[in-house]
Amino acid sequence: MQPLRIALVQLSPRLGDLEANLAQHRERLAAARLAGAGLVVFPELGLTGYQLQDLAAEVAMRIDDPRLQDLAAETGGLSAVISFVEEADDHRLFISAALLEDGAIRFVHRKLFLPTYGLFDERRFFAPGDRLRTVASRLGIKVGLAVCEDFWHLAVPETLALDGAQLLINVSSSPGRDLAAIHEVGLGTAASWRTLMRTYAQLTTSFVVFCNRVGMDETISFWGGSEVIAPSGEALFTAPLFDEGLYTVDVELGDVRRERVGLPLLRDERPELHLRELRRILAERTGLDLDEASEPLDSPPGAPGAVGPKGGPTGDPKGGPTRGQRTRR
Amino acid sequence: MISGPGPSHRESSDGAGRLFELPPELAIDTGIAQRVIAGFIRNQLRQAGFSRGLVGLSGGIDSALVAFLVAEAMGPESLLCVLMPYRTSSPESAEHARLVVDRLGCASDVVDISPMVDGYFGRDGELGAGGASAREASQLRRGNLMARQRMCVLYDRSVPWGGLVVGTGNKTESLIGYTTLFGDSACAFNPIGDLYKSQVRQLAAAVGVPEAIIRKAPSADLWPGQTDESEAGFSYPELDRLLFWMIDKRRTDEELLEMGFASTAVERVKRLVATSEFKRQVPPVAKLGPRTTGVDYLYPRRRPGSARR
């Protein structure tokens, strides 16, 4: 199989300046094409900048926006992932990543998890997406898209892999912080991300592509460090921290098959088990009926405060708390 | 006085003697700090439509470090250092400020603020513009007025220089409120405001601030013999460690005591932080209209069209 050349565009968008960022995307796309790339990945909100606040509504685009269509038109024979503020028909705003292929918008992923803690305030300005699907790419494989914080939730890479993804793409605007010298790379954020991406690649036995922006918005600086990780968890490429640039990496998509044959983790996944337990957990959280069919856990007879499935005192001398019931002390 | 667990890492520049004390948990990657700060300075200036900065250079480590950082980010030709001594300022302060200017080869300017300050408080029995009560003013009032006169001079000088005033306050003094509101804390942006004093020393050593400046006892130099540490009753490494665990690492009072910090120190520092909250925030505006700045009118400071020139 012909190796796939991936171009990571570690750029610095201009905050709120759509025209300048569109022009920058077109230039980088052309440069990547010239460099022989088959997949070009731009960072989260590369078309708008990150720290938008109330500007979000002013730079939002509908999927049928001619500016997006024009950008898509430049992807003949190419795949590209770009990110922007999407305005839905009902005027909700999303942080979206789109897969552009062969001149059209093939797929849009809306950021699922909007961090609203610490230095983040995304939920104030954006709506969370609620679909997590892979997309069949012109590359001949299924691709899973995720935006930044989406990757801080285990279910995202797992679901995408189960849905058939062999290539997971995370586009980010990750602000650098925690400069403590104890960290492997001198930046706490970068150290955490590297751990995550190697772990996900290995556990999903998929390629992981991470494209993080550089530059500054207001007081926060974005650290770059974009990466491509092989299905074995090995980092094939790590871009420098903070440097703007277009970096190309060649990957053998056939590595996915080799890895999965040798290490059949995905074959051995138990989605039905996961689903059953998730249903139970949800039921417990919402106080709905528990799954009566579930087996009781082993526990000492007459455990203090043990209660039966319906919340009454248990009469069964062998009965401990059933699964999902907590013993209160 | 504050104490706490763990031996402090002893940093020395060349093995010839201790340059400063750096608690290990506060050690930063200075290469990354320089990189981020240089980008921050360039970004703040360029987005505002400027390419020059100016710094009030006191002879102390904070302003010396900021001068080095601005010179590194923008080139020394883009930096103006303004020395603003009062007649009682230590001559050593001026010497150290000159050392920085000479080392960087940047532009400098000296403005003696004595006539401005004395013009208000009076001198040698003469009444000043502030009248009789000003003649009896406390050191605190005098110190605050000096800090604010320096602010006035810096902002005035920023016009002919065509640059922005770069702030020099560090995280330690900001958190305990050891700063004059609209005085030394006034600036267009601050590159070192998230660094504790110990980290300022670490970074200063890394960028080549002269050792004499790093080594001497920090002082606001508002009156002869004043030093920060004697005035506050804390040593900076101790205070920095306590603030770091209390604020950055969210340790509760009980946990801080278990770590070995003295309860009197914890109480006192907590009080200093709480009572100086107002100094770290934009003055509040009564909410009346549909959209209020800072509440529900939230725009980036810098966006298309926001540059003044």
Side-chain angles (χ1 to χ4, degrees):
Chain A
M1 194 188 285
Q2 181 90 348
L4 169 64
R5 181 160 294 176
I6 300 174
L8 301 166
V9 188
Q10 194 165 283
L11 53 70
S12 168
R14 290 175 60 156
L15 186 59
D17 196 341
L18 256 179
E19 291 311 318
N21 295 323
L22 279 162
Q24 194 175 190
H25 276 56
R26 279 192 295 268
E27 280 167 30
R28 296 295 194 168
L29 198 57
R33 178 191 296 281
L34 214 62
L39 170 64
V40 191
V41 186
F42 291 88
E44 176 186 16
L45 294 179
L47 286 176
T48 61
Y50 177 76
Q51 195 76 316
L52 291 162
Q53 301 182 292
D54 284 345
L55 276 179
E58 297 171 32
V59 297
M61 290 184 283
R62 292 166 47 101
I63 291 298
D64 59 6
D65 191 296
R67 290 169 294 187
L68 273 183
Q69 300 293 335
D70 289 350
L71 185 60
E74 297 185 31
T75 59
L78 267 184
S79 303
V81 178
I82 54 125
S83 174
F84 58 103
V85 177
E86 179 198 349
E87 180 163 348
D89 289 342
D90 60 7
H91 308 300
R92 283 181 300 164
L93 304 179
F94 297 94
I95 297 175
S96 291
L99 178 67
L100 315 180
E101 286 191 334
D102 285 334
I105 299 175
R106 185 171 300 259
F107 180 77
V108 175
H109 169 79
R110 294 170 168 174
K111 188 174 189 175
L112 300 168
F113 294 94
L114 301 174
T116 304
Y117 56 78
L119 76 169
F120 302 107
D121 203 14
E122 293 182 16
R123 189 65 179 87
R124 178 181 178 87
F125 303 100
F126 297 102
D130 43 29
R131 282 162 60 106
L132 181 57
R133 309 278 164 90
T134 53
V135 52
S137 160
R138 61 173 274 283
L139 300 170
I141 51 168
K142 283 188 177 175
V143 170
L145 298 188
V147 181
C148 204
E149 186 85 356
D150 289 346
F151 256 31
W152 284 79
H153 295 269
L154 283 168
V156 172
E158 183 192 21
T159 306
L160 290 172
L162 287 170
D163 199 30
Q166 301 191 22
L167 176 63
L168 306 179
I169 301 176
N170 181 290
V171 299
S172 285
S173 283
S174 169
R177 53 208 186 277
D178 189 3
L179 295 189
I182 51 166
H183 299 302
E184 173 202 351
V185 284
L187 189 65
T189 336
S192 316
W193 269 102
R194 290 184 181 186
T195 306
L196 287 187
M197 289 179 297
R198 283 153 184 71
T199 307
Y200 291 158
Q202 175 138 63
L203 296 186
T204 62
T205 45
S206 304
F207 281 101
V208 171
V209 173
F210 170 71
C211 184
N212 186 31
R213 64 164 286 191
V214 291
M216 300 196 88
D217 281 355
E218 306 285 281
T219 58
I220 56 182
S221 55
F222 302 90
W223 52 276
S226 300
E227 294 200 302
V228 176
I229 317 291
S232 62
E234 180 203 351
L236 298 176
F237 173 77
T238 302
L241 299 190
F242 302 110
D243 283 344
E244 185 158 7
L246 186 154
Y247 305 95
T248 59
V249 193
D250 289 350
V251 304
E252 296 277 354
L253 290 179
D255 285 350
V256 173
R257 180 174 189 275
R258 275 187 285 279
E259 188 68 26
R260 289 181 183 186
V261 168
L263 186 66
L265 300 179
L266 268 182
R267 180 197 70 188
D268 296 347
E269 284 295 333
R270 299 283 305 277
E272 78 295 342
L273 170 75
H274 196 179
L275 186 62
R276 202 161 59 232
E277 297 302 337
L278 282 176
R279 283 211 175 103
R280 171 186 60 77
I281 291 164
L282 272 179
E284 283 172 21
R285 281 194 176 186
T286 50
L288 299 175
D289 276 351
L290 299 175
D291 178 4
E292 298 286 347
S294 58
E295 298 167 33
L297 292 175
D298 285 339
S299 70
V307 291
K310 290 296 180 191
T314 176
D316 180 356
K318 284 185 189 168
T322 49
R323 183 164 44 151
Q325 298 272 345
R326 286 232 175 106
T327 301
R328 275 173 215 256
R329 296 182 192 276
Chain B
M1 176 140 199
I2 297 179
S3 102
S8 280
H9 170 61
R10 303 273 157 160
E11 185 81 14
S12 78
S13 58
D14 51 7
R18 194 186 76 178
L19 186 54
F20 59 94
E21 185 179 338
L22 177 64
E25 65 269 51
L26 293 177
I28 55 169
D29 185 316
T30 53
I32 291 190
Q34 278 179 258
R35 185 85 201 255
V36 170
I37 290 173
F40 173 75
I41 292 169
R42 280 193 288 268
N43 212 48
Q44 288 293 323
L45 288 175
R46 285 179 188 160
Q47 289 191 329
F50 289 84
S51 59
R52 289 174 146 192
L54 69 163
V55 173
L57 198 64
S58 67
I61 188 171
D62 296 325
S63 57
L65 172 60
V66 171
F68 269 74
L69 293 170
V70 173
E72 180 180 274
M74 305 301 297
E77 69 285 355
S78 300
L79 172 66
L80 170 67
C81 286
V82 188
L83 286 63
M84 296 170 282
Y86 180 65
R87 58 187 163 80
T88 62
S89 297
S90 151
E92 190 190 66
S93 296
E95 279 166 36
H96 287 159
R98 291 248 59 101
L99 206 56
V100 170
V101 169
D102 291 345
R103 185 71 65 89
L104 293 176
C106 62
S108 69
D109 207 352
V110 181
V111 179
D112 179 1
I113 62 167
S114 306
M116 302 167 74
V117 173
D118 294 344
Y120 179 80
F121 289 119
R123 189 183 173 183
D124 302 332
E126 300 272 316
L127 277 190
S133 97
R135 192 168 53 183
E136 313 305 325
S138 62
Q139 284 188 323
L140 179 77
R141 282 177 66 189
R142 290 174 186 273
N144 279 338
L145 193 95
M146 287 180 212
R148 293 186 178 119
Q149 288 298 350
R150 293 189 172 112
M151 177 275 291
C152 289
V153 171
L154 267 184
Y155 271 82
D156 175 65
R157 286 297 211 261
S158 75
V159 179
W161 179 247
L164 293 182
V165 176
V166 187
T168 59
N170 64 62
K171 188 171 184 172
T172 310
E173 66 183 23
S174 167
L175 284 174
I176 64 168
Y178 193 62
T179 167
T180 297
L181 190 58
F182 309 122
D184 55 309
S185 67
C187 61
F189 60 89
N190 181 340
I192 63 163
D194 203 18
L195 292 177
Y196 289 108
K197 190 75 168 189
S198 306
Q199 297 169 328
V200 164
R201 289 168 169 160
Q202 191 196 356
L203 189 56
V207 302
V209 170
E211 280 196 15
I213 297 174
I214 300 175
R215 204 183 290 274
K216 71 177 171 179
S219 168
D221 197 14
L222 294 172
W223 52 85
Q226 182 191 28
T227 70
D228 296 2
E229 287 165 322
S230 63
E231 204 176 1
F234 298 125
S235 89
Y236 269 116
E238 291 175 322
L239 178 56
D240 289 348
R241 286 191 64 241
L242 177 50
L243 288 168
F244 174 76
W245 287 107
M246 182 185 284
I247 290 173
D248 293 84
K249 295 297 181 184
R250 301 173 197 262
R251 293 296 191 272
T252 64
D253 291 3
E254 292 74 32
E255 289 164 338
L256 291 169
L257 297 185
E258 278 168 27
M259 291 176 70
F261 290 106
S263 64
T264 47
V266 172
E267 280 311 309
R268 177 139 175 260
V269 170
K270 270 181 64 178
R271 199 168 54 246
L272 287 171
V273 171
T275 55
S276 60
E277 212 63 74
F278 74 97
K279 292 190 181 183
R280 294 184 289 274
Q281 298 184 14
V282 176
V285 172
K287 171 78 180 156
L288 296 169
R291 266 184 112 185
T292 308
T293 312
V295 179
D296 41 21
Y297 174 87
L298 299 172
Y299 277 89
R301 287 166 66 100
R302 297 300 170 204
R303 52 187 161 113
S306 69
R308 296 287 298 274
R309 35 185 268 161

